[in-house]
Amino acid sequence: KPDEIDSAVWEKIRDHPCYSEEAHHYFARMHVAVAPACNIQCNYCNRKYDCANESRPGVVSEKLTPDQARRKVIAVANEVPQLSVLGIAGPGDACYDWKKTKATFERVAREIRDIKLCVSTNGLALPDHVAELTDMNVDHVTITINMVDPKIGAKIYPWIFYNHRRHTGIDAARILHKRQMLGLEMLTARGILTKINSVMIPGVNDEHLIEVSKWVKERGAFLHNVMPLISDPAHGTHFGLTGQRGPTALELKTLQDRLEGGAKLMRHCRQCRADAVGLLGEDRGQEFTISQISDEI
Ligand code: CLF
Ligand code: SF4
């Protein structure tokens, strides 16, 4: 255990492949794509594929009901001894599509007691579910935070759906920002480890992510993961259609180096799919499609 990390935190990260760089060589995660609905629109999203919170577009993820997800997790746990974490990361928003997220976690936790539960969200609905996340012993939550200035947010989010209606422009970005900060503070107060994902969008929020890093560090974020925008016109995202480019590998690394000294950086993210299975960078999802899993589980 590294000296600077306290023992309670170490227990939470030592076998989590995203929260501990060391652990990612030995421990596997799996995602189940149970949460297709989303409450915001990001200009880098293509709903046909996965939540770009964490996911590389490509092939449509296999969407599952909570019971199918339970069966799949058991099948994977039987075959993949390194499995330590079950994450829900889309294809929509795990906290907005909450009933399915909750039902999945409850079913799995009843049968596999030591699996770690992990959630990824845009943060808008997060404050409403922090109490339940705490009750379910969810120790890891990722919030995608791309701005702390609503003027920049308005360039990334055309609308959000909140309190039964659609909000647009700066108004939408301001609400999203407040909810993200509130959610982060609530998690920190309860000792839940938080990772902040930021999508680096050149010319839109690249410089601004230095400010984001300060804000989230002050509010107790455990890790900051800056990911490159994946902008391919073929995927039909808004940014893809407007010709917005993603950063080069050098631009990403230069920004990450400038962020040293803010929140601790994650540098080994592989932008997993919403139905990824295996070690990071490995995707064994095709071995565990629901049609291959016995009905008896
Ligand atoms: Fe999944 Fe995300 Fe949990 Fe990890 S992924 S919900 S924190 S278990 Fe990890 Fe994949 Fe990067 Fe995500 S490498 S995309 S950071
Ligand atoms: Fe798409 Fe995820 Fe953004 Fe929702 S939060 S619009 S699913 S990228």
Side-chain angles (χ1 to χ4, degrees):
K1 172 179 108 50
D3 291 344
E4 72 278 9
I5 296 180
D6 101 24
S7 325
V9 171
W10 178 245
E11 277 314 303
K12 292 181 187 175
I13 66 167
R14 49 182 282 278
D15 58 356
H16 194 306
C18 304
Y19 282 71
S20 155
E21 157 119 56
E22 181 64 12
H24 96 277
H25 299 292
Y26 309 105
F27 293 97
R29 53 81 186 97
M30 71 178 288
H31 291 162
V32 285
V34 293
C38 191
N39 48 355
I40 72 174
Q41 178 68 60
C42 305
N43 277 333
Y44 50 77
C45 179
N46 179 349
R47 294 284 174 79
K48 242 185 25 220
Y49 298 110
D50 289 326
C51 173
N53 267 336
E54 303 227 56
S55 298
R56 197 175 272 289
V59 185
V60 181
S61 288
E62 185 183 48
K63 288 190 198 63
L64 304 175
T65 64
D67 197 57
Q68 288 173 326
R70 175 192 68 81
R71 290 170 49 215
K72 181 166 175 174
V73 178
I74 293 168
V76 172
N78 288 339
E79 297 285 324
V80 181
Q82 306 98 319
L83 181 71
S84 58
V85 178
L86 167 64
I88 300 185
D93 188 79
C95 284
Y96 179 60
D97 216 341
W98 177 248
K99 280 196 182 123
K100 289 183 222 148
T101 296
K102 187 176 177 200
T104 302
F105 279 165
E106 284 176 346
R107 282 164 206 225
V108 170
R110 243 183 273 154
E111 298 191 48
I112 311 179
R113 297 203 173 268
D114 56 352
I115 199 162
K116 285 188 156 61
L117 305 174
C118 191
V119 160
S120 174
T121 175
N122 63 47
L124 183 59
L126 172 63
D128 301 336
H129 304 299
V130 169
E132 288 163 288
L133 287 166
T134 312
D135 291 346
M136 288 192 290
N137 293 320
V138 173
D139 275 333
H140 302 84
V141 175
T142 295
I143 316 173
T144 299
I145 300 182
N146 296 318
M147 54 86 201
V148 291
D149 175 352
K151 286 198 290 302
I152 292 176
K155 297 181 192 166
I156 304 172
Y157 307 102
W159 56 261
I160 67 167
F161 189 78
Y162 181 66
N163 266 352
H164 313 290
R165 73 176 184 93
R166 192 179 279 237
H167 301 254
T168 56
I170 300 229
D171 174 39
R174 191 174 291 125
I175 296 168
L176 180 62
H177 165 60
K178 288 207 172 124
R179 299 285 290 174
Q180 289 177 332
M181 294 301 130
L182 174 63
L184 173 56
E185 286 164 6
M186 290 172 77
L187 293 168
T188 299
R190 285 159 183 79
I192 295 178
L193 294 185
T194 49
K195 173 164 72 59
I196 306 306
N197 281 0
S198 299
V199 181
M200 177 184 179
I201 310 162
V204 175
N205 73 345
D206 45 351
E207 283 292 318
H208 182 59
L209 290 181
I210 292 168
E211 192 66 20
V212 170
S213 165
K214 286 190 197 133
W215 279 64
V216 301
K217 184 181 185 186
E218 276 167 22
R219 287 161 182 78
F222 182 73
L223 271 182
H224 191 193
N225 174 24
V226 177
M227 322 185 339
L229 170 73
I230 301 170
S231 179
D232 179 345
H235 291 130
T237 65
H238 174 81
F239 278 147
L241 295 172
T242 58
Q244 172 68 52
R245 66 176 183 90
T248 63
L250 180 63
E251 286 169 334
L252 177 65
K253 184 174 178 302
T254 305
L255 177 64
Q256 287 174 332
D257 290 345
R258 288 176 64 198
L259 290 170
E260 289 290 356
K264 188 171 149 32
L265 282 186
M266 172 183 190
R267 291 193 188 233
H268 63 287
C269 177
R270 305 301 281 266
Q271 294 182 279
C272 315
R273 292 163 48 84
D275 60 359
V277 175
L279 297 173
L280 297 192
E282 176 182 75
D283 193 354
R284 300 181 56 186
Q286 292 313 309
E287 295 167 47
F288 300 98
T289 58
I290 200 70
S291 57
Q292 291 164 283
I293 295 168
S294 150
D295 291 339
E296 281 156 33
I297 294 182

